[in-house]
Amino acid sequence: MSSEWPLWEVFIRGQHGLNHRHVGSLHAPDAEMAICNARDVYTRRNEGVSIWVVQSNQITASAPSEKGPLFEPSNSKVYRHPTFFDIPAEVGHM
Amino acid sequence: MYAQMVKAEGAKSREEMTVEERAFQDRIDRGEKIEPKEWMPEGYRKTLIRQIGQHAHSEIVGQLPEGNWITRAPTLERKAILLAKVQDEAGHGLYLYSAAETLGVSRDELLELLHNGKMKYSSIFNYPTLNWADIGTVGWLVDGAAIMNQVQLQKTSYGPYSRAMIRICKEESFHQRQGYDILLKMCLQGTPEQKAMAQDAMNRFWYPALMMFGPSDKDSVHSAQSMQWKIKINTNDELRQKFVDQTVPQAEYLGLTIPDPNLKWNEEKGGYDFSEPDWDEFFDVIAGNGPCNAERMEARVTAWEDGAWFREGLMAHAKKQDARRAAARIAAE
């Protein structure tokens, strides 16, 4: 078997001024073809106004097994949420 | 459905599970999604590759019976619609191959397994599409049965598979409606000959459509583990019953007769009684002896082999461009 086309991750910006969002992946020989293929595979029904593609092997991901230690520091800091603070009712909306 | 007879091991009891397996099962029971790279039992991974792969192959092979009618569609509008539908099927195949790839198998490997007969696709696509009413019937019954299966699979435990299913379901309802619309035209506004064509298509596709859900639960040895892992949500028989109950009134509206003398409303169970399809025929088609198995595989393999020079050419071009860009960068430095 000859060399397989590399895998690309596809990110699409929807119609409503949102962030680009990961929608899936596809194979393409290069970035230009990846954009063309992404249009055909992921935006057949007006799902987007902009496409990003990035080769999958260029993505660095956090390890699922380190989920605990990685996110624990934010778990323990409840004061980061506004609901941590009681504001007297007389003060009104804040 | 699109994945019939997926081999899986028997379900394990909690006592038989390792600590890791038990923690994994707990996550599934809590309704958590399993994501790529997270720990999973080898059997879970293997069963999913088989099921998602078979599902992907079905989408791709499923293009063939319909593609047969793109050049023969009766109007330009019908042709454009059918083209869009067949293009969707290609897209659905690609979503599913991508989902399978997250489990550590490549798309080319999956295609090779399809081409050398080691992986299967749905039995339904081994039946021919002989007249235009077949295209209506395929959309209505075959895509209808597929939706029945895919809707429940949106809740499947493996994240990438579930997300692919959500996408597919959004697009699939167009497929069923365009099929029913063809039959509405033929049955309600058509000539007696056109209506006869529709009935003929119904007669040929009814039982093969029922077979799409796979063998009866009592003969389906692989279901228990898959249901425990939430790779499968409903049993084959539950889905088949739902499909019949949904389809009968739609057939009545068209004035088509379902080719089953035993079809009868059962007040007690709140559903229809109906005849089982001929399971010998099903196993025979799965084994490769259906009317179109050879033709379908030949079309797939030919397309793959004839496309090789093109895939390689684009790859060579991409490498050359990369090298050129790298050289330019070095020159500039």
Side-chain angles (χ1 to χ4, degrees):
Chain A
M1 184 156 305
S2 61
S3 64
E4 190 169 3
W5 287 355
L7 194 65
W8 301 75
E9 300 301 321
V10 181
F11 300 80
I12 295 196
R13 187 201 296 285
Q15 301 281 22
H16 313 294
L18 303 170
N19 290 324
H20 284 76
R21 199 171 147 225
H22 183 242
V23 293
S25 53
L26 51 75
H27 287 274
D30 56 30
E32 197 187 338
M33 283 302 298
I35 294 271
C36 293
N37 290 352
R39 188 206 59 173
D40 289 344
V41 178
Y42 292 106
T43 67
R44 287 194 302 282
R45 289 176 176 76
N46 280 325
E47 286 95 336
V49 292
S50 163
I51 303 173
W52 289 349
V53 292
V54 59
Q55 218 168 311
S56 307
N57 61 17
Q58 296 295 310
I59 291 184
T60 308
S62 61
S65 56
E66 286 160 23
K67 199 162 69 183
L70 191 62
F71 297 108
E72 198 283 328
S74 76
N75 273 340
S76 59
K77 296 175 180 63
V78 284
Y79 44 81
R80 283 183 167 158
H81 296 280
T83 45
F84 179 77
F85 305 94
D86 288 328
I87 302 294
E90 294 82 356
V91 177
H93 176 74
M94 184 180 282
Chain B
M1 139 89 18
Y2 269 28
Q4 303 146 321
M5 308 281 298
V6 172
K7 281 205 185 84
E9 295 133 48
K12 278 188 185 173
S13 69
R14 282 193 78 79
E15 291 71 44
E16 292 170 306
M17 290 180 193
T18 65
V19 178
E20 277 164 319
E21 284 170 343
R22 219 171 295 154
F24 178 81
Q25 189 61 48
D26 288 342
R27 290 190 62 197
I28 289 186
D29 294 343
R30 282 198 297 271
E32 281 180 33
K33 294 280 184 241
I34 308 302
E35 295 296 342
K37 312 248 163 81
E38 290 178 342
W39 188 88
M40 58 186 80
E42 195 50 23
Y44 178 84
R45 199 181 69 83
K46 280 198 178 139
T47 309
L48 268 176
I49 288 177
R50 283 195 208 104
Q51 180 169 330
I52 301 174
Q54 200 181 110
H55 197 155
H57 297 328
S58 300
E59 300 283 354
I60 299 299
V61 178
Q63 293 181 291
L64 298 170
E66 293 186 295
N68 182 39
W69 280 89
I70 290 174
T71 54
R72 300 177 173 90
T75 67
L76 186 58
E77 188 186 52
R78 290 287 183 201
K79 181 181 175 132
I81 292 170
L82 185 57
L83 203 54
K85 180 191 189 285
V86 173
Q87 190 192 10
D88 270 356
E89 306 298 1
H92 295 178
L94 292 178
Y95 307 154
L96 287 160
Y97 284 126
S98 301
E101 281 182 291
T102 63
L103 292 158
V105 62
S106 79
R107 187 172 76 190
D108 282 8
E109 281 174 78
L110 288 171
L111 287 174
E112 203 183 326
L113 290 167
L114 170 69
H115 295 161
N116 68 22
K118 288 194 179 132
M119 276 182 95
K120 306 279 184 207
Y121 53 91
S122 177
S123 57
I124 190 75
F125 302 118
N126 291 312
Y127 292 87
T129 44
L130 303 176
N131 75 49
W132 174 247
D134 285 20
I135 296 304
T137 309
V138 165
W140 171 41
L141 295 182
V142 175
D143 288 81
I147 292 170
M148 196 57 84
N149 183 51
Q150 291 171 161
V151 162
Q152 47 120 19
L153 282 176
Q154 294 179 97
K155 289 182 281 185
T156 194
S157 62
Y158 188 55
Y161 191 27
S162 157
R163 291 190 285 274
M165 280 299 120
I166 290 169
R167 249 196 118 76
I168 288 174
C169 283
K170 256 192 225 160
E171 300 180 344
E172 198 85 64
S173 132
F174 145 59
H175 297 178
Q176 192 183 17
R177 283 176 173 225
Q178 67 85 35
Y180 198 68
D181 187 64
I182 290 173
L183 293 173
L184 279 171
K185 270 268 159 39
M186 293 183 84
C187 292
L188 301 185
Q189 297 168 33
T191 61
E193 289 81 3
Q194 286 170 323
K195 208 177 158 191
M197 281 163 74
Q199 184 63 54
D200 173 54
M202 174 69 156
N203 294 346
R204 283 180 287 111
F205 276 97
W206 175 251
Y207 287 106
L210 292 188
M211 290 176 199
M212 287 175 68
F213 298 96
S216 173
D217 297 340
K218 55 184 192 299
D219 306 317
S220 189
V221 287
H222 310 305
S223 281
Q225 178 65 83
S226 289
M227 300 215 26
Q228 189 179 46
W229 278 333
K230 293 192 190 158
I231 288 174
K232 240 176 122 164
I233 310 289
N234 292 110
T235 69
N236 297 349
D237 286 336
E238 280 167 7
L239 291 169
R240 194 171 6 253
Q241 180 71 52
K242 252 174 112 173
F243 173 73
V244 171
D245 293 346
Q246 170 193 286
T247 306
V248 172
Q250 295 167 353
E252 280 168 359
Y253 187 86
L254 293 171
L256 293 178
T257 308
I258 290 179
D260 179 2
N262 299 319
L263 186 86
K264 200 169 87 234
W265 177 255
N266 181 333
E267 190 63 45
E268 207 172 309
K269 76 170 178 186
Y272 285 89
D273 290 333
F274 56 93
S275 304
E276 293 264 317
D278 176 357
W279 291 114
D280 290 338
E281 177 184 320
F282 169 77
F283 288 114
D284 207 32
V285 173
I286 286 276
N289 305 317
C292 299
N293 294 59
E295 190 184 327
R296 300 291 183 241
M297 281 322 293
E298 198 197 322
R300 277 305 313 154
V301 172
T302 306
W304 180 250
E305 286 174 357
D306 287 357
W309 69 272
F310 183 73
R311 292 191 301 276
E312 284 159 18
L314 284 184
M315 205 59 234
H317 176 74
K319 280 190 180 139
K320 213 189 253 174
Q321 293 293 318
D322 269 353
R324 219 170 266 168
R325 262 192 298 273
R329 216 169 21 240
I330 289 161
E333 276 163 9

